[in-house]
Amino acid sequence: ENVEADRLLASPCLVADLGDLRRRPVGSTKTLSADLNFVTVKGGSAAGLAFWFDVGFGPGVNLCTSPGAPATHWKQTVVYFGAFPDITPGEELTARVTLTQSATNPRQYEISIETE
């Protein structure tokens, strides 16, 4: 889905920096986990977490798929909570995110989110 930048309630958090993929060991991206800490910058209803990626192909050649960047066919991935808690500016939110490579399609990840 294309997420509009003004829908974000907090500044982005980095889930993973994969660095130079040519130098990563085979299989090192099967599971990626991160503990995320957000401080909200505006109020609203928190529907879920949005995910996107940035990639550098060399000096001065970058692709950004974030909300607010020019749209691409990759868009963004949104994982909805199934609830819509009200959030106030300055609120601290935490989540544990785990991305596990799909057993049936290694180009996809299954995303799990744990919140308090």
Side-chain angles (χ1 to χ4, degrees):
E1 121 177 39
N2 279 319
V3 176
E4 299 295 328
D6 64 355
R7 288 179 54 200
L8 301 178
L9 301 181
S11 298
C13 291
L14 182 65
V15 172
D17 182 346
L18 302 179
D20 186 341
L21 291 175
R22 296 172 299 178
R23 294 188 169 89
R24 288 196 68 90
V26 173
S28 67
T29 59
K30 268 193 170 323
T31 301
L32 305 167
S33 294
D35 291 316
L36 306 180
N37 297 296
F38 300 95
V39 176
T40 57
V41 295
K42 68 179 190 177
S45 296
L49 293 181
F51 295 85
W52 60 86
F53 65 90
D54 298 338
V55 64
F57 295 102
V61 182
N62 299 299
L63 170 65
C64 178
T65 65
S66 71
T72 70
H73 72 279
W74 285 289
K75 304 178 183 181
Q76 295 86 38
T77 296
V78 179
V79 178
Y80 290 97
F81 297 139
F84 300 93
D86 289 327
I87 302 299
T88 58
E91 195 168 338
E92 294 183 32
L93 308 172
T94 61
R96 172 120 181 115
V97 175
T98 303
L99 293 91
T100 305
Q101 195 172 35
S102 169
T104 57
N105 184 346
R107 295 177 60 193
Q108 295 179 352
Y109 281 87
E110 296 169 5
I111 303 171
S112 66
I113 299 171
E114 298 172 39
T115 61
E116 293 181 10

